[in-house]
Each structure stands twice: as C-alpha cells, then as structure tokens.
Amino acid sequence: MPASTFSRCFTALGAAALLVWSWCAGAQDFIDPNLRWRTLQTEHFTVHFAEPQRDQARRAAAVAERILPRITRILRWEPKDPTQIVILDSADFSNGFATPIPFNLSGIFLSPPDDGELLQNREWLEMVLSHELFHIVHLDKARGAPLALRNVFGRFPLLFPNIVQPTWIIEGLAVYNETDVARGYGRLENTHFEGMMRAEVARGLRPLAELNADGRGFPLNRNYLYGSYFFAFLRERYGEHAVIGFIENYSNNIAWAPVDSNPRRSTGKSMSELWPEFEDWLRARFAPKEGAPSQEGEILHKAWTIFSPALSAGGQRWYGQGDGYTLPQLVRRSRGGKAEGVREVEQDTRIAAMGGGAVLLSQLEICDNYNLYYDLYRVDAGGSRRRLTECGRNRFAAPLEDGRIAAVRVLQGVAEVVMLDASGKPLRTLYRAAAGESLTGLAAKGESVVVTSLRGEQWSLVEVSGAEPVVLVSDNAIKHSPRFGGSADEVFFIADYGKVYNVWSMKRGSRALSRWTRSLNGVRETSAPVDGELLLVSIEADGDALRLYQMPGAPLEQRYAASLSGRPESQAEPPLATDDKAYSPWSTLRPHNWFPILVLGEGMFALGFQTFGADALLKHQYVVAPMYEFNQQEVLGYAEYLYDGRHSIILNREMVVKSQEKDEGDIIAYSTKEQAQWVSLWRHLALNARFYWGLGAALERERLHNVKLGVNSAVQDERVVGLVAGYDSRRQQWLSEGPSQGMQLRGFAETSNGLGGAFSGNVYRGDLRGHVPLGRSVLGLRWLEGWGQPNAEAFQLGGLFSDDFTFTPRLNQREFALRGYGSGEPSLTGHRARLWTAEWRMPLTDVDRALMTPPLGINRISLNVFADVGAAWERGGSPDYHRGFGIELMAEPSFLYLFGWQARAGVARGVDEAGKTQFYLRAGRSF
C-alpha cells in the first residue's frame, strides 16, 4: 500500500476510533468536567460520580456487586479488570450505555422511567444495571483465537467477537437476561412490551434480513423486542443450554460473523431455519383470543408519532405530532374543525391544557451545556411561547385554576412534587419520594394533587397535597398518567390490570376501581375526560393513532382495590459504606491496546503501531500511530487528541514516493508531508441555537527529497493562526435525509503574517449552509465567500471532495469542491472566492436488508440532484462564474453489522471553460 494511502487510512481510522465512545448515546455530551468528580472502588467496579451523587453512587455500587455474580455465572466469564461505571444526573430521561472498548465502561442515568416499556415493578437502578452489566460481560467474553490474540494486542476492537453481530442479538440477550419471570421483572414480563409484539403479529412480522440491517422502520425498539422474544423462544423450544451455547459458540469467532451457522451447534439448526419456527411461535403466543377487543375509538389522525393528548374545557383537542422528517408540531384541533399546527416542539413534550386557549408545555432543553432537562413554557392561543423556568427539571406539570402549577421534578434520582406560582417560581415542596421510589404522573385540581408511584414493588395512587400523603390505592398493577375528571372526587389513570393497559378511575372514599376502555394492545397515553370524551394514543404497529373515545354510560368493569391505605417501604439497596477519592483520569487513560503497522512497497520498509484510548469520563480521547521508515530513516505517523469535544490537536507526517529505479526499485525521490492543527472552542448550547467561538493554528508543509542528488527542497510551507466562530441550528430527525432543517454559519479569520511560512497575509472566510424541508426531501443550500490579501495563499475551486469529518472546525482550508471541474485550474484560482451550491436530497427507499453470508447490508438509498456555481478571481477583477450540474445516488452500505457509512456515486458535468464530465464514487456527504 502506498505510504500516502496508508497514512490517510490511519487518519480515518483515528477519527473512527475516537467515535467509539460517541456510539454510547453521545455520552460525553452529558459529562460536565467542571463538576467535582469523585471515585469509589469495590471488588469488581470503579464508580465515578459528581459529588452530589455520592449516595446514589454507593447504592449503585452495592446493586452492581449483587447482580454481577449471576451474570458471570450464566455467561461463564468474568472480566479481568474492574468495570468502570459513571453515574450521571444530567438528563431527564432513563438510559444507560455500555462498551468494552477501550476498557469495560458503563454509564447509568439516574432518572427513573415514567412511561413506556421500562415501567415495571423493579427499582430503576437494579433494572438498568442488570441490562448494562450483561452487555459488559457478554461483549467482553472471548475464547480461543480471539482471546489468545487479545492477550497479545490488548483490547483491539476486532478481537471482541460478540460486538460483531446484529444489534438485535446484543440487545435481545440483555433484555432476556434482565427478565425474571418469577418476580415479573424485565421487559419480557412487561405489559407495554407484550402489547407491542401483539401489534406486530397482527400487522405481520418483520423478516430476519430487516432485523439484521437495523434500519429506520417500525417498531423503533425492534432490536429489543424481537431479540428478547427470540431468546425466550430458544429457551422454551430448545432449553436454556441453547441460549448459553449460542453465546459460547460465537465467542470464538474472529474477523467474521457466522450469524447464520452459529446456532447449529446448540440447536442443530441454522438461524435461517430457526427464524420461521420463531415466527410460528410468536403467532401462536400472541394469536387473538376469541372475543378479543379491537382498538377502540374514532381515529382522528395517524402519524409517525403522536404524543401527549389533552382536552381543554372548550372542547379543543391538543397533541404533539411528528412526521419523522422535521421537528414535531404542537397541534390544535377544534370540535368539527381541522387540525392546525401551532408551533414546533420537541419530541416527548408533555402538554397540559390551561384556561383561555393556552397550554402548558414541559419540554426538553439544554441546560449549562451538558444537561438535558425539562422546563416549563406557556403557549397562548396564538402560538406565542413564554418560558417559565430555567433548568427547572419539571418533567410533569398540572396547572391549577388560580394560576399555580403543580410539578414533578427528579433531582439526583429522587423525585419530588413542588408547587410553583404562575411565573414558574417554586413556592413549596409537597412531597419528596423515598430512595428508589419513582413518580410516573401527576394530576391537580382545586387543592388536590395526586401522583402515581412505584415503591417497594407496589404501584400506588397517592394524594400529596395535605399535611401527610394519603394512599388511595396500592397494588401490583402498573399505574401512570393520572388525570382528574370533572371534579376532584374521581381520578382517572392508565393501569395494566389484566395485563393490558386501559383507562381506569377511582372515586375518593370508594374501594371500587372502574375500567372505561377495552383496548386490544393497550392505551399508551390519555387525556383527562371532558364532556364524556377521551383522547387516546394506543399501542400500534406502524406509527401512532390518535383516537377520540366516547366514554360509555357505565364502567365496562369494576373491581375492588385490595388496599386503600398503606404501602411497603422502599426496597432501595442500602448504600455501600466505602470511602471515595478525587477522580483522576490517569488510571484509565493509559493505552489498553496496540496493533502493528507494516508498510512494504514502492521502495519503502516501515514499522510502527497504533493505539487509542480515553479516560472513564470520556473527556480525554486520543489516537497515536507512530511509524519509522528504515530505508530513508524517516519518522512518520499520526496522532490526535481531543478534550471534551472542544479542544483538539492533530499531527500527521507521511511519506510519498515520487520516483524509483526501474530495476532495483530503489527510491530516487520522495516527499514528506507534515500537517498539524490545534483548535480550542468555547460554546453556549441550546437545542435550536448553538453558538461557539475559539482560536487555533495550523501548519502544512511538504519537502521534496532527491536521494541521488542529496538535495531537499521546500514544496509547501503554510502556517496560519486564526479565530473561528459559528452558529448552528440544524436538526436531524429519525427519518430525515441528513439535517432536515436549520442552518449553520461558520466564520474564520486567519493570518500567516510573521509566521515564517511561504505566505504572508490575512484570509477571511464565511460558510453558510441551510436546510429547508420539502416534505420527505430536503433542499440543501450553501454559500461560501472567501477573501484573502495578495500575499496570502489563494483559494482554489474544483474537484469532488466530501466534507472531512472533524470534531472541531478545520483551519487553513483553501480548496473547495466544484463538481464538473478538475482541481488546480488557473481560471478557478484566486484570492477572492465565491461558491453557491443547491442540492435536492430525496430518500428513494429504505431497503433495510442485511445478508448473513456474507455479512453485507444496505439501508437507505437516496437521490441527490445538485447545481454548483463558483468563481475565484483576483482583487480588482470580476468573477467568472463556472457552473456544474449533476446527480448522485447516495447509499448506506454496511459490513459485519457494525461498520456503516454513507457512499455516493455520481456524475457531474461542468458546462463552462475547463468543464468536463466526471463519474465518481465517494464516501461521505458533499456538505
């Protein structure tokens, strides 16, 4: 492989290695290095936490130590080194992550779930640690050749066999493990989960090739859903040993992914043979029973997502609606009228109706750059929005008639109910949950405030507005989304009595529970009843349906509560009584892997190695690949360091052979190229308006070495320092073709004055990119403007470049793509430059299919029609615009179920002087 090609490969590999940690839900974005981080050590874990989370960290450590032995016994594997666990209280959602590279690392978000498939009778920390620690041990496991090689090369990614398989297998095993049938724990015992699979069976099951591809289709949690039920089927049909054998056999693979043949040893059948059996098993298990209900209510609207329905006293129907391509809309619909979009909102915004045609929103927003918290906003009838809280963490809110607001917020994993005034200012705390207790909804009317609560494996309806909490009902049925009826005497809520979510109610002072709906798959969300109507969002197979439900004159069913008072004490794990110390990155920052580099050819003989690493908080990340070329005694290599995603240093030195002896192949001439860049950024982040500013420096040098003559000469010597600033409001949705709305503006002011390079002068550059949604398609627009002094390096248009991926803005960029023209044309070179680009990007189809032999797949195929117009000229002259037009097919191929990228094959035609027809294949986007 030529040295220049080799170096570029390692540049790309370095960036890819740094992305390893970004696959964990962008975890580094939620870790604030400015907090006081602490570390505690147990036998099997090193737990890192910000100082306010000390109690939660000690409790998590105790839960982890209790859970781990069962997992290691099942998997017959125990990691060699302690697992790093990071405790996070920086997001108002429930999640966790796990990765075995560069070391075993798991992150746990303390915020407990309040809706959906994660609701169950199990305390949140035990649930999430059961799932993530299974990932850690499973992905760490290896035997045979991979383990032997790992003992030599360390934690190199391809030496972890269980990473290289479809996501549905990885996630399915973890969900299967988290399930405890006897105690009703885990998603396989979850009512919502069962409702989703029931909907899948009724609609028609997804084929195996689609699951393998892990595309954009419904259901969005299909990896967890299909994967976990597959292993439940495997256990039931072939025995527990078949599941263990499945894992054991796969842990011996290297550089391949025998997904199809892997089950043969433990079941006697391939995956292709097992899958039809699995589908038949699902159909039998979820076949509709005789007399089973249908989904009830008139369908008002169907969409990719519908959430948080609310009815106002005037009969207006409110809800959030998303199409998967642009930001969701807050929608208002009058009785007998048409739906109208009021304004954009975030996904999973919570909506509560207020008087005067207004609504109260609980909506996610970035807080202090590192946190994602719910805040309150008041939206009036005209759509104008007023923010009521800043970093308030008010995930549920219920307005009262006098203007006050009752709200639920979760701080450090502990929920509390607070009363706010009309402006959002806290007045007093009504209730503080016990450790391990979760609050899953809030209702308020008059002076009464009611919450749904999970505590000690019991779900309760609790009134919290008095001097002492009053338990209205407490039992094992999951409860959420409480709503008051016409008076404060009756509370409606969603519960899973009978293992289906329906709307129930309870009247104060009565033991009777009344069921008002008869849903097939389950009610996911409900409004409060108004004039005998309910707005429902039900569990569906393809997207969401908003249903208008006329309540019957009498309940469909009544049952009597087993308990009207009292509930168990919290069963939260007692915290470990252990000391902690100040966090230090050094113990995890050391290299944990290496891999040799060998370059032979073109008269070169070079040896080196590559390693990469990070610390446990993912703040420090690096790639190092030094290399030595023996024939010409040149030091080569690549290095990159990134801190907090904002400060980066990149160094690269490569060797390119220019000419060789015809017979012996000895090098006659070669060049060495050196590149270096440093950029530091500061920023202010919001979801829809992100600003940054910073400074940096860059160097690019090339020297030509004539070996025979012993002469060295400078070919290139560029040195700049500069300032950068930018604004970014781009948003990308689940189905959209890249960014689908918003704009990005970047400005650069660079100088090479006094730096001793080949150029001396100032250069200014502005780059504006906009994205306009046009239904499912996107119109991408770009305007680039450059101005340089006469002695500065000139701009150059032409070529077919893709945007280089960099974590921070790139300095000293003077070449820009103008498709249909070659690079280096004199007519496209100058100290002034202007470039306009328009691209119409249209998804054609989501193939979403992946083969098992060979393990190749493809997801989306899109069409891109473009026009480029650009000019480069000298000061005092006038621009001579050159036009290029073309078409591209963009595709998302994958390999080994793991390495996906975007490729584009296109044809471009330049129609002005020096224009030509170009056919090309490139990786990445044009911009």
Side-chain angles (χ1 to χ4, degrees):
M1 179 186 293
S4 59
T5 305
F6 184 88
S7 179
R8 284 193 292 272
C9 285
F10 263 86
T11 300
L13 184 58
L18 287 177
L19 276 171
V20 166
W21 305 282
S22 298
W23 78 359
C24 301
Q28 67 172 4
D29 296 337
F30 295 97
I31 301 175
D32 186 349
N34 302 307
L35 300 176
R36 294 184 61 185
W37 287 91
R38 308 287 297 176
T39 299
L40 64 85
Q41 188 72 50
T42 70
E43 181 181 359
H44 298 100
F45 300 97
T46 304
V47 183
H48 311 283
F49 58 94
E51 200 165 43
Q53 280 83 59
R54 178 176 282 110
D55 287 346
Q56 287 76 17
R58 289 176 172 175
R59 186 170 290 112
V63 174
E65 286 289 355
R66 175 169 56 81
I67 287 171
L68 184 65
R70 174 183 172 272
I71 296 173
T72 57
R73 184 172 60 254
I74 290 172
L75 292 174
R76 304 172 189 173
W77 180 258
E78 186 166 334
K80 184 190 302 183
D81 299 317
T83 296
Q84 311 291 317
I85 297 179
V86 182
I87 303 298
L88 298 169
D89 186 39
S90 47
D92 283 342
F93 57 73
S94 307
N95 212 336
F97 64 85
T99 176
I101 300 169
F103 43 79
N104 286 332
L105 171 67
S106 178
I108 305 298
F109 290 89
L110 289 174
S111 187
D114 52 38
D115 64 1
E117 68 190 60
L118 294 179
L119 289 183
Q120 56 177 294
N121 292 20
R122 195 177 199 175
E123 195 265 328
W124 167 240
L125 269 180
E126 182 176 356
M127 161 73 175
V128 68
L129 282 166
S130 295
H131 186 96
E132 302 304 340
L133 293 185
F134 186 90
H135 278 324
I136 290 292
V137 181
H138 174 222
L139 298 180
D140 185 79
K141 180 179 172 68
R143 62 185 186 86
L147 182 59
L149 290 172
R150 211 158 80 193
N151 289 334
V152 176
F153 298 113
R155 305 182 72 84
F156 198 74
L158 293 182
L159 303 180
F160 288 79
N162 289 304
I163 290 178
V164 188
Q165 55 188 324
T167 307
W168 70 263
I169 294 178
I170 297 173
E171 294 296 349
L173 280 166
V175 173
Y176 171 81
N177 167 76
E178 82 191 25
T179 300
D180 183 336
V181 176
R183 302 180 69 181
Y185 283 174
R187 272 169 274 197
L188 282 174
E189 291 296 308
N190 179 273
T191 299
H192 189 105
F193 218 56
E194 289 186 3
M196 296 188 74
M197 185 52 82
R198 191 178 299 112
E200 284 293 291
V201 169
R203 187 275 321 279
L205 295 167
R206 302 288 176 183
L208 176 58
E210 183 175 350
L211 267 290
N212 289 335
D214 193 14
R216 296 174 174 83
F218 287 105
L220 302 184
N221 69 339
R222 61 194 174 282
N223 291 324
Y224 301 78
L225 188 68
Y226 280 82
S228 57
Y229 277 112
F230 175 81
F231 289 106
F233 149 77
L234 208 60
R235 178 196 61 207
E236 183 177 308
R237 186 67 55 87
Y238 294 93
E240 184 69 26
H241 72 277
V243 179
I244 303 304
F246 186 100
I247 300 169
E248 193 73 18
N249 189 43
Y250 205 87
S251 301
N252 192 31
N253 300 316
I254 186 167
W256 193 240
V259 171
D260 191 42
S261 61
N262 181 59
R264 195 177 297 279
R265 179 172 296 181
S266 58
T267 68
K269 298 177 181 178
S270 68
M271 185 68 76
S272 300
E273 294 169 316
L274 286 173
W275 199 260
E277 286 187 27
F278 170 52
E279 291 180 329
D280 290 341
W281 180 85
L282 285 174
R283 293 186 189 102
R285 176 167 176 164
F286 291 99
K289 298 178 181 178
E290 187 176 348
S294 60
Q295 301 286 60
E296 292 181 304
E298 173 195 355
I299 296 179
L300 295 180
H301 191 65
K302 298 189 77 171
W304 185 78
T305 180
I306 294 175
F307 52 93
S308 195
L311 284 172
S312 68
Q316 289 183 325
R317 298 141 184 186
W318 296 88
Y319 54 95
Q321 172 190 314
D323 61 7
Y325 293 93
T326 57
L327 277 170
Q329 292 279 319
L330 172 64
V331 178
R332 176 177 54 211
R333 185 176 188 144
S334 301
R335 281 200 182 109
K338 293 184 178 180
E340 55 176 327
V342 176
R343 63 171 301 116
E344 291 179 338
V345 294
E346 296 298 325
Q347 181 66 36
D348 298 324
T349 293
R350 280 82 186 266
I351 303 167
M354 304 179 75
V359 290
L360 183 67
L361 306 183
S362 299
Q363 181 169 286
L364 288 168
E365 182 55 275
I366 294 175
C367 169
D368 295 336
N369 292 336
Y370 294 95
N371 308 290
L372 192 62
Y373 293 155
Y374 275 101
D375 270 311
L376 298 183
Y377 301 81
R378 186 184 189 277
V379 176
D380 64 21
S384 297
R385 189 181 76 170
R386 179 165 64 94
R387 188 168 186 169
L388 302 181
T389 63
E390 295 273 354
C391 304
R393 310 196 68 173
N394 301 297
R395 60 201 301 170
F396 292 111
L400 295 168
E401 292 80 354
D402 60 5
R404 293 178 301 158
I405 301 168
V408 171
R409 61 186 183 187
V410 181
L411 304 167
Q412 300 166 26
V414 178
E416 62 178 7
V417 183
V418 295
M419 186 65 74
L420 314 174
D421 67 14
S423 65
K425 182 180 178 181
L427 296 173
R428 62 191 180 99
T429 297
L430 300 179
Y431 178 74
R432 183 172 176 82
E437 180 182 0
S438 300
L439 302 184
T440 60
L442 170 79
K445 196 175 190 69
E447 295 298 320
S448 182
V449 178
V450 170
V451 295
T452 43
S453 160
L454 167 64
R455 176 171 166 177
E457 300 189 0
Q458 292 280 305
W459 289 86
S460 305
L461 199 64
V462 185
E463 186 168 13
V464 298
S465 45
E468 293 292 333
V470 177
V471 178
L472 303 179
V473 64
S474 184
D475 53 36
N476 288 325
I478 297 173
K479 302 172 182 65
H480 64 89
S481 305
R483 308 282 188 260
F484 276 108
S487 71
D489 290 331
E490 187 172 18
V491 184
F492 290 77
F493 54 94
I494 296 175
D496 72 338
Y497 295 105
K499 291 295 284 183
V500 177
Y501 278 120
N502 276 297
V503 177
W504 293 75
S505 73
M506 182 176 190
K507 289 187 176 180
R508 191 186 303 274
S510 169
R511 291 186 58 203
L513 297 172
S514 301
R515 179 167 62 84
W516 296 96
T517 62
R518 189 168 177 260
S519 179
L520 173 62
N521 300 324
V523 176
R524 188 160 62 81
E525 294 186 89
T526 181
S527 70
V530 174
D531 297 333
E533 292 183 345
L534 285 173
L535 277 184
L536 306 176
V537 179
S538 51
I539 296 174
E540 309 279 347
D542 289 306
D544 287 333
L546 179 71
R547 298 173 181 269
L548 179 64
Y549 179 70
Q550 300 292 333
M551 297 177 65
L556 301 175
E557 175 191 351
Q558 283 198 319
R559 64 171 62 196
Y560 290 92
S563 172
L564 288 180
S565 63
R567 53 182 172 154
E569 292 299 317
S570 172
Q571 295 179 352
E573 195 87 16
L576 283 180
T578 183
D579 294 332
D580 54 71
K581 60 183 179 180
Y583 170 78
S584 171
W586 296 110
S587 61
T588 50
L589 197 57
R590 64 175 177 83
H592 291 79
N593 61 73
W594 73 282
F595 206 76
I597 300 170
L598 171 64
V599 179
L600 286 173
E602 293 191 315
M604 290 181 59
F605 172 57
L607 288 175
F609 69 92
Q610 184 210 9
T611 186
F612 59 88
D615 73 316
L617 296 186
L618 306 177
K619 294 293 103 176
H620 304 272
Q621 303 180 27
Y622 66 88
V623 177
V624 179
M627 186 165 56
Y628 185 77
E629 202 285 319
F630 288 89
N631 291 338
Q632 304 304 323
Q633 300 180 355
E634 293 285 356
V635 176
L636 309 172
Y638 175 86
E640 182 172 359
Y641 169 75
L642 181 70
Y643 174 73
D644 194 29
R646 302 180 296 117
H647 306 282
S648 72
I649 299 174
I650 301 174
L651 304 172
N652 187 45
R653 194 170 195 267
E654 59 184 311
M655 175 177 168
V656 180
V657 176
K658 298 295 186 180
S659 62
Q660 296 175 261
E661 295 279 4
K662 287 186 178 180
D663 297 326
E664 292 80 7
D666 293 340
I667 295 175
I668 298 174
Y670 69 93
S671 69
T672 52
K673 295 184 177 182
E674 299 171 347
Q675 294 133 350
Q677 175 169 286
W678 153 66
V679 173
S680 287
L681 298 180
W682 292 263
R683 62 195 180 188
H684 175 74
L685 303 182
L687 283 175
N688 288 314
R690 302 172 294 279
F691 297 89
Y692 67 84
W693 54 96
L695 66 160
L699 175 146
E700 291 190 45
R701 293 190 302 201
E702 181 178 2
R703 293 189 67 82
L704 182 63
H705 305 264
N706 191 307
V707 178
K708 278 198 168 183
L709 300 178
V711 176
N712 300 332
S713 58
V715 177
Q716 178 187 27
D717 190 357
E718 302 168 12
R719 311 176 190 188
V720 302
V721 295
L723 302 174
V724 299
Y727 165 81
D728 194 350
S729 63
R730 296 173 300 168
R731 301 297 299 272
Q732 180 169 340
Q733 303 301 316
W734 186 259
L735 299 179
S736 63
E737 182 46 58
S740 60
Q741 56 194 124
M743 59 173 284
Q744 180 194 52
L745 174 62
R746 296 184 295 175
F748 300 80
E750 303 170 2
T751 185
S752 52
N753 287 321
L755 299 180
F759 301 100
S760 179
N762 300 331
V763 176
Y764 306 95
R765 174 163 54 98
D767 193 343
L768 176 64
R769 308 178 185 203
H771 304 272
V772 181
L774 301 173
R776 296 172 59 239
S777 65
V778 176
L779 178 62
L781 301 170
R782 182 182 186 183
W783 174 20
L784 183 139
E785 196 81 20
W787 183 90
Q789 291 182 326
N791 292 327
E793 182 185 4
F795 295 101
Q796 186 173 292
L797 305 184
L800 302 163
F801 312 120
S802 297
D803 262 8
D804 290 335
F805 174 82
T806 55
F807 287 92
T808 53
R810 180 182 168 190
L811 296 173
N812 198 37
Q813 189 173 6
R814 301 292 182 266
E815 297 183 32
F816 302 96
L818 180 59
R819 289 162 286 190
Y821 299 87
S823 181
E825 293 288 345
S827 61
L828 289 170
T829 303
H831 288 89
R832 290 290 311 276
R834 183 173 297 144
L835 177 65
W836 293 308
T837 294
E839 295 188 351
W840 179 62
R841 304 164 181 166
M842 175 65 180
L844 296 178
T845 183
D846 288 324
V847 179
D848 289 344
R849 294 293 187 272
L851 302 175
M852 292 183 289
T853 307
L856 301 173
I858 189 167
N859 291 93
R860 171 165 289 180
I861 298 177
S862 303
L863 178 70
N864 180 24
V865 180
F866 65 84
D868 294 342
V869 180
W873 69 98
E874 293 301 330
R875 187 176 181 180
S878 58
D880 178 16
Y881 291 106
H882 290 58
R883 296 163 296 166
F885 304 92
I887 189 170
E888 295 177 339
L889 274 179
M890 299 189 295
E892 298 172 352
S894 63
F895 176 59
L896 292 176
Y897 314 104
L898 181 65
F899 305 109
W901 66 92
Q902 187 166 69
R904 53 194 179 101
V907 56
R909 173 63 182 168
V911 298
D912 294 300
E913 180 188 356
K916 55 185 178 181
T917 301
Q918 298 171 315
F919 296 90
Y920 55 91
L921 179 64
R922 292 288 186 274
R925 291 181 170 275
S926 56
F927 75 88

